[in-house]
Amino acid sequence: MAQAIDALTELVGAEAARRIVEFRRDMHQHPEIGMDTARAADKIEAFLQTLPVEQVHRFAGNGVCAVIRGKKDGPMIGLRADTDALPIQEETSVAWKSAIDKCAHLCGHDGHTAGLLAAATLLAQTRDFAGSVVLIFQPGEEGWAGADKMIKDGLFERYPCREVFAIHGAPSRPLGTIAVREGAMTASVDIAYMTVEGRGGHGARPQETIDPMPAAAELILALQTIVARNINPADSAVVSCCFVQAGDPLAPTVIPQRVNLSATIRTHSPKVRDKIEARFNEITQGIGTVFGGEVKLDYQRRYPPQINDPALVRAILPALQSVYGEAGVDTKFAPSMGGEDFAFMSEKVPGVYMQVGLGDEGHTAQLHNPGFDFNDLGLAYAARTFAAIVQERLPLN
């Protein structure tokens, strides 16, 4: 803890630094899932009131927002952190290990929250900017579309941000580095649920049935041709069938009535996303017709791709280089096929999503791994990153 406190002390003072690190570890010990983050929301709000801040407001239940005003009037920009945990059993030995069974902060959202609180502390102390900063603490990133829920509850109507920024801890990258690129950072996340409906019967008399099993097999194979034959090889896309369920192992002679399947679909391109959905509809209808039964499709668009605004990325590069040095800012890397619901905010206003390095000898476990714990030395980098962006985008002069 001492090193993390020392790094933050240089920015916000010893007492505030201690509170921030203790906040992160307390939040880690008391994780909450999805939109049900009431404890975190209350703790965040209580912390913010000590800075102080203005216009504290809740969105979608446990989303917390507040405003810090600079020394002069000017535009409004948003800084976002996610607050929810994962339904996974933690397997670390830290003293602040999760106290909740099968629930843990294994994606670092405790660190994102504490990092934004550190930035808020610094900005509230100095206020060396012209405009307003909206602090956005968002629940439900891990599959609950919390960003979308906050937007639909009036986030940007109440706080008309010109632009928004978010960071994510990256243990795969060295501590003291940051990664950001123009265009796609993460992929869209869509889920397809399918039911192949036939007519069950005895396995010895298949002619009396409409067997959904070979139809399901053909369906899986046909879906794999979408990326291989319908999408430009220069475009990134993934279609993975990840679940198949049919029959009963205790009834090995029974042809089942139906087969249930699901698939995950990822791409960085909105146009490719549309194409893949169209092909899912065509293929499922065609397979149903060919085998004489029916294929029901429930195609759910979950998260859009996170597309960083190119001009905004270029605009903040000097600020990032002031924190990490030119060599510490990586702009040339492939986008991730993972998903991120900050994309909903970036669809509404220009946005930039960044990866802050956390990796060192003591922090090698990757995100969503039972052994992961946020590197507290990253809190100072998070605070400095947000503060530098604010000063770059809302200059006093």
Side-chain angles (χ1 to χ4, degrees):
M1 181 186 285
Q3 285 183 302
I5 290 177
D6 289 345
L8 282 168
T9 296
E10 297 178 13
L11 300 176
V12 297
E15 178 59 24
R18 181 190 60 77
R19 288 181 61 220
I20 291 163
V21 174
E22 289 180 351
F23 184 101
R24 203 285 295 180
R25 297 184 176 186
D26 176 78
M27 186 172 176
H28 187 94
Q29 197 167 25
H30 300 90
E32 296 165 297
I33 298 293
M35 302 300 294
D36 298 325
T37 56
R39 183 183 188 276
D42 290 344
K43 292 279 187 179
I44 291 165
E45 192 167 325
F47 189 104
L48 291 173
Q49 296 288 12
T50 68
L51 296 182
V53 296
E54 303 174 26
Q55 301 182 42
V56 178
H57 191 77
R58 296 279 184 109
F59 294 91
N62 292 313
V64 179
C65 291
V67 174
I68 299 175
R69 297 190 184 277
K71 292 178 179 177
K72 295 182 179 179
D73 292 337
M76 176 176 284
I77 68 174
L79 308 177
R80 173 269 202 177
D82 38 17
T83 62
D84 58 321
L86 287 161
I88 306 175
Q89 187 69 39
E90 182 174 350
E91 297 179 8
T92 71
S93 57
V94 297
W96 50 92
K97 178 179 178 179
S98 173
I100 311 298
D101 190 45
K102 296 180 182 178
C103 181
H105 273 292
L106 302 181
C107 199
H109 296 187
D110 52 339
H112 304 166
T113 300
L116 183 51
L117 288 174
T121 302
L122 177 58
L123 293 169
Q125 289 176 354
T126 61
R127 301 184 187 264
D128 289 332
F129 56 94
S132 300
V133 174
V134 182
L135 310 168
I136 305 170
F137 295 90
Q138 177 224 304
E141 192 280 326
E142 296 288 354
W144 300 82
D148 190 42
K149 289 179 172 65
M150 290 184 70
I151 292 167
K152 289 176 178 175
D153 198 26
L155 171 63
F156 291 130
E157 284 76 24
R158 188 178 184 92
Y159 304 114
C161 295
R162 184 184 68 184
E163 57 208 40
V164 289
F165 301 90
I167 62 170
H168 200 297
S172 60
R173 294 184 174 276
L175 184 71
T177 66
I178 193 168
V180 64
R181 70 190 306 276
E182 298 178 25
M185 276 289 286
T186 64
S188 58
V189 180
D190 297 334
I191 305 293
Y193 294 100
M194 295 158 284
T195 299
V196 181
E197 194 76 33
R199 184 170 65 240
H202 201 293
R205 295 185 292 275
Q207 74 279 7
E208 297 176 1
T209 73
I210 298 176
D211 190 347
M213 297 291 280
E218 290 290 347
L219 175 59
I220 292 171
L221 293 173
L223 293 175
Q224 297 309 302
T225 69
I226 296 176
V227 174
R229 288 296 176 265
N230 301 132
I231 304 303
N232 188 324
D235 293 324
S236 299
V238 171
V239 173
S240 293
C241 293
C242 301
F243 170 80
V244 181
Q245 183 275 325
D248 189 322
L250 299 180
T253 64
V254 176
I255 292 175
Q257 179 78 10
R258 64 187 58 85
V259 179
N260 295 310
L261 309 91
S262 69
T264 184
I265 303 97
R266 310 289 176 109
T267 181
H268 299 121
S269 165
K271 289 184 179 179
V272 171
R273 191 185 193 193
D274 292 342
K275 178 66 173 179
I276 292 175
E277 182 176 2
R279 288 297 291 141
F280 259 79
N281 279 286
E282 293 164 357
I283 288 171
T284 52
Q285 289 175 17
I287 293 290
T289 300
V290 168
F291 96 98
E294 181 184 10
V295 180
K296 299 175 183 177
L297 171 64
D298 177 14
Y299 196 100
Q300 299 181 6
R301 290 194 170 207
R302 297 291 182 86
Y303 292 178
Q306 168 56 37
I307 308 296
N308 281 350
D309 184 87
L312 198 52
V313 170
R314 293 191 293 270
I316 66 169
L317 280 179
L320 300 182
Q321 290 169 352
S322 73
V323 176
Y324 299 93
E326 189 171 345
V329 182
D330 184 5
T331 60
K332 301 192 180 300
F333 57 94
S336 168
M337 295 307 289
E340 168 58 58
D341 85 335
F342 179 69
F344 286 109
M345 296 187 184
S346 295
E347 282 190 327
K348 296 297 182 182
V349 297
V352 174
Y353 174 80
M354 300 157 279
Q355 297 177 348
V356 173
L358 299 177
D360 61 18
E361 291 184 2
H363 298 83
T364 58
Q366 298 304 300
L367 301 175
H368 292 217
N369 183 285
F372 174 79
D373 181 41
F374 190 90
N375 186 346
D376 284 329
L377 290 174
L379 297 175
Y381 283 106
R384 292 172 63 194
T385 299
F386 279 136
I389 289 172
V390 168
Q391 291 183 332
E392 181 72 32
R393 299 301 294 156
L394 301 176
L396 273 173
N397 300 321

